Amino acid sequence: MASPNRTARGVSPLWFLAAASGLFVALGVVQAGLRLNAGASQTAALIDFTLVAGPGFALLYGTYRVSRSSIHASLYARITGWALGGIVLMLGVVWLLTWNPAGSLDHPLRAAVIGVGIGANGGFLVGTNEAQSIVRADEAEERTQELARTNRELEETKAELQETVAQLERSNERLEQFAYAASHDLQEPLRMVSSYLRLLEDRYDDDLDEEAHEYIEFAVDGADRMRAMVDGLLQYSRVQSEGDPVGPVDLDEVLADARDDLAVRIEATDAEIEADPLPVVEGDENQLRQVFQNLLENAIKYSGDEPPRIDVSAERSDDGDWRVAVGDDGIGVDPDHHDRIFQMFKQLQSGEDGAGIGLPLCKRVVERHGGEMWLDSEPGDGSTFHVTLPAAEESAERRATATAGSEAAR
């Protein structure tokens, strides 16, 4: 047998049990030999050997298993004590049977040897079971303490995350206030620049040559473009702070309103807009109308030489959201520029009209609704903008979670 674990103070108590098991085996051999010398049959001798040596082998195997188990060496003495207690108990039983005049014990010594082996194994099993119970209790206590530590760490992490989210919300609020104030304050100086340039042109019209008039036009155009960019920045900063509460919105009505707003341009370009029946979603009606208006206006603007042809459709995605698609057969967009068009003040063509705020504004509105927005397009093959929006029956908790995640990611 491999050496049992040693305790911190010396030899493990299991060595005593190992020695006892060897003694039982030796006594079994002696008992079998005595039975044969007394004229008993080999079967009787084998039975005696089994009754005496068997408990020894069982105790030896049990000692080996305990030394390889999770039972700590500090509990070996307890197991050994229970085994010794079993031995004492069986010796007491044999003594009582021998002392009792009415007893029928014919071979007290033989009974004592067999009883000691059985008692040692019985006590060993009781001690092992108790030690295992202690180990399980200690492990349960360790798991409980570990769980308590984990819970404390989670609570601390939760508190830190809550504080971080609160700081981000305060920071976003301050940034939105700053953007609003700065943009609002820039409007008046830019208006004054444009007005005074026009006054200068009107008053000194006869004194200005063609080149001077051209310079004034450039300056006025630059001021107007700057005003458009500032106005777009104002709208962008207000998406979250000044949006209306979300509720059920019929996208068919939203699309109809957007078409009415663009009626003059649609008629001027001979644009055709075909739309499938659209769903009811959870959203801010005014902001969603702004999204549709921007997408339709974008499709008309980049239709190329042919009259614009625009298709609007919707389908339910696997996660329950609605995916709305606005497609056209216009000039298309190079895949390398798909991300660029959603960036603030970025335009694909230099000198084109607009402030480069429409698509970024649309994307932020969609993100406020907990959705996503992306583009599928190839040059010459038209463009399709995809927008995901929550279905009308979606819970308010999911919308709040999506909105908070979107804001925290900024």
Side-chain angles (χ1 to χ4, degrees):
M1 184 187 76
S3 298
N5 295 336
R6 292 176 176 271
T7 64
R9 295 184 176 180
V11 178
S12 167
L14 292 185
W15 276 109
F16 296 105
L17 296 181
S21 64
L23 178 62
F24 288 137
V25 173
L27 288 174
V29 174
V30 172
Q31 179 65 24
L34 291 175
R35 291 284 284 173
L36 289 173
N37 289 334
S41 65
Q42 292 182 351
T43 301
L46 180 60
I47 291 175
D48 273 19
F49 174 78
T50 302
L51 290 174
V52 178
F57 285 118
L59 189 62
L60 184 66
Y61 177 72
T63 303
Y64 171 80
R65 291 296 301 272
V66 167
S67 68
R68 297 297 184 273
S69 70
S70 60
I71 297 176
H72 192 266
S74 61
L75 297 175
Y76 291 169
R78 185 183 296 266
I79 297 173
T80 303
W82 275 102
L84 292 176
I87 292 173
V88 171
L89 177 63
M90 293 304 297
L91 287 175
V93 171
V94 172
W95 179 78
L96 287 174
L97 290 174
T98 304
W99 177 79
N100 183 8
S104 59
L105 198 60
D106 296 331
H107 302 284
L109 181 60
R110 177 170 172 267
V113 172
I114 295 174
V116 165
I118 296 174
N121 278 273
F124 177 82
L125 291 175
V126 173
T128 301
N129 184 68
E130 183 185 37
Q132 289 175 338
S133 298
I134 293 173
V135 169
R136 286 193 293 269
D138 290 343
E139 291 175 348
E141 179 65 21
E142 290 178 2
R143 286 194 295 269
T144 301
Q145 293 177 357
E146 181 65 26
L147 182 60
R149 285 194 297 271
T150 302
N151 286 335
R152 287 195 299 270
E153 292 173 357
L154 287 175
E155 289 296 328
E156 293 173 358
T157 303
K158 180 181 178 181
E160 292 174 358
L161 286 174
Q162 289 175 339
E163 178 61 25
T164 301
V165 170
Q167 290 177 355
L168 286 172
E169 290 176 349
R170 290 193 295 268
S171 176
N172 284 335
E173 184 178 356
R174 288 193 295 268
L175 286 173
E176 288 178 356
Q177 292 173 351
F178 172 77
Y180 176 81
S183 302
H184 185 271
D185 293 343
L186 283 172
Q187 291 279 14
E188 184 60 22
L190 289 170
R191 188 190 65 80
M192 290 180 63
V193 168
S194 297
S195 298
Y196 277 103
L197 283 171
R198 289 302 183 192
L199 287 174
L200 179 66
E201 185 178 35
D202 292 341
R203 179 169 296 184
Y204 300 101
D205 183 56
D206 295 336
D207 298 330
L208 299 176
D209 59 15
E210 184 178 350
E211 189 174 22
H213 283 290
E214 186 178 359
Y215 289 161
I216 290 176
E217 286 299 323
F218 286 153
V220 171
D221 180 66
D224 289 342
R225 287 172 60 83
M226 179 61 74
R227 288 180 64 187
M229 294 173 70
V230 170
D231 184 64
L233 183 59
L234 277 171
Q235 295 181 54
Y236 190 87
S237 67
R238 294 173 180 172
V239 167
Q240 186 67 32
S241 60
E242 298 189 11
D244 295 332
V246 296
V249 176
D250 189 338
L251 292 185
D252 281 325
E253 296 180 1
V254 170
L255 178 60
D257 291 340
R259 294 177 68 165
D260 289 341
D261 293 338
L262 297 171
V264 174
R265 190 158 188 183
I266 291 173
E267 184 177 355
T269 58
D270 195 24
E272 290 185 9
I273 302 176
E274 295 184 359
D276 295 338
L278 300 179
V280 177
V281 300
E282 287 279 350
D284 180 333
E285 184 173 358
N286 289 328
Q287 289 186 347
L288 291 180
R289 183 172 66 247
Q290 195 173 22
V291 170
F292 273 89
Q293 184 174 332
N294 270 290
L295 293 179
L296 293 178
E297 193 172 14
N298 216 58
I300 294 172
K301 182 177 180 179
Y302 297 104
S303 61
D305 298 330
E306 299 296 326
R309 298 293 180 265
I310 304 170
D311 293 315
V312 183
S313 61
E315 63 178 0
R316 199 73 179 263
S317 60
D318 294 338
D319 59 6
D321 289 340
W322 283 103
R323 186 172 68 187
V324 180
V326 179
D328 61 65
D329 56 358
I331 62 175
V333 180
D334 190 293
D336 293 338
H337 297 152
H338 285 187
D339 292 332
R340 184 172 182 264
I341 63 174
F342 293 110
Q343 298 174 9
M344 294 283 288
F345 309 125
K346 298 294 185 181
Q347 296 176 326
L348 295 182
Q349 300 177 17
S350 61
E352 64 182 8
D353 295 334
I357 194 69
L359 290 176
L361 181 63
C362 291
K363 187 176 178 70
R364 187 168 192 201
V365 167
V366 172
E367 289 175 347
R368 185 213 166 192
H369 287 70
E372 297 179 355
M373 183 176 183
W374 70 94
L375 170 66
D376 286 334
S377 181
E378 291 286 344
D381 291 336
S383 302
T384 300
F385 286 92
H386 299 276
V387 172
T388 61
L389 294 170
E393 65 270 18
E394 186 180 36
S395 68
E397 288 137 7
R398 181 180 169 190
R399 293 195 308 270
T401 301
T403 303
S406 174
E407 288 301 311
R410 292 184 182 281

